[in-house]
């Protein structure tokens, strides 16, 4: 298991609740977490803001909040 801060765990739970475990399992976000490349993870959240090829403002707000939470101390 990968050691995570509470804020990192919380951000991943939010992401998974919104998108599902399958998406997390096959995502590059998970790969970066598993490689403990924590400084690269916040950017990965922002890849998940599209629906039908367009940025959805609500998803963008949510992913930004998750990225900020993941990177918080």
């Amino acid at each position: 298991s990968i050691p995570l801060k509470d804020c990192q765990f919380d951000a991943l739970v939010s992401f998974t609740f919104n998108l599902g475990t399958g998406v997390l399992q096959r995502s590059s976000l998970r790969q970066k977490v598993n490689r403990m490349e924590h400084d690269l993870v916040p950017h990965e959240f922002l890849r998940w803001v599209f629906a039908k090829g367009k940025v959805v403002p609500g998803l963008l707000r949510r992913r930004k909040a998750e990225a900020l939470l993941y990177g918080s101390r």
Side-chain angles (χ1 to χ4, degrees):
S1 106
I2 303 300
L4 296 172
K5 298 176 189 172
D6 288 344
C7 57
Q8 293 169 325
F9 177 81
D10 293 346
L12 292 170
V13 168
S14 175
F15 178 86
T16 304
F17 179 80
N18 186 242
L19 290 165
T21 56
V23 169
L24 179 65
Q25 288 299 317
R26 58 185 179 269
S27 70
S28 55
L29 186 152
R30 178 176 171 254
Q31 292 172 0
K32 287 183 177 26
V33 170
N34 286 343
R35 291 191 300 248
M36 295 193 293
E37 298 173 343
H38 297 295
D39 56 326
L40 301 177
V41 173
H43 176 72
E44 292 296 313
F45 284 103
L46 302 178
R47 298 180 66 202
W48 298 91
V49 298
F50 299 95
K52 297 182 183 180
K54 296 185 179 186
V55 173
V56 177
L59 289 178
L60 181 58
R61 278 191 304 276
R62 183 183 192 111
R63 297 289 98 80
K64 282 183 176 181
E66 290 164 347
L68 187 63
L69 180 60
Y70 191 93
S72 66
R73 309 245 173 220

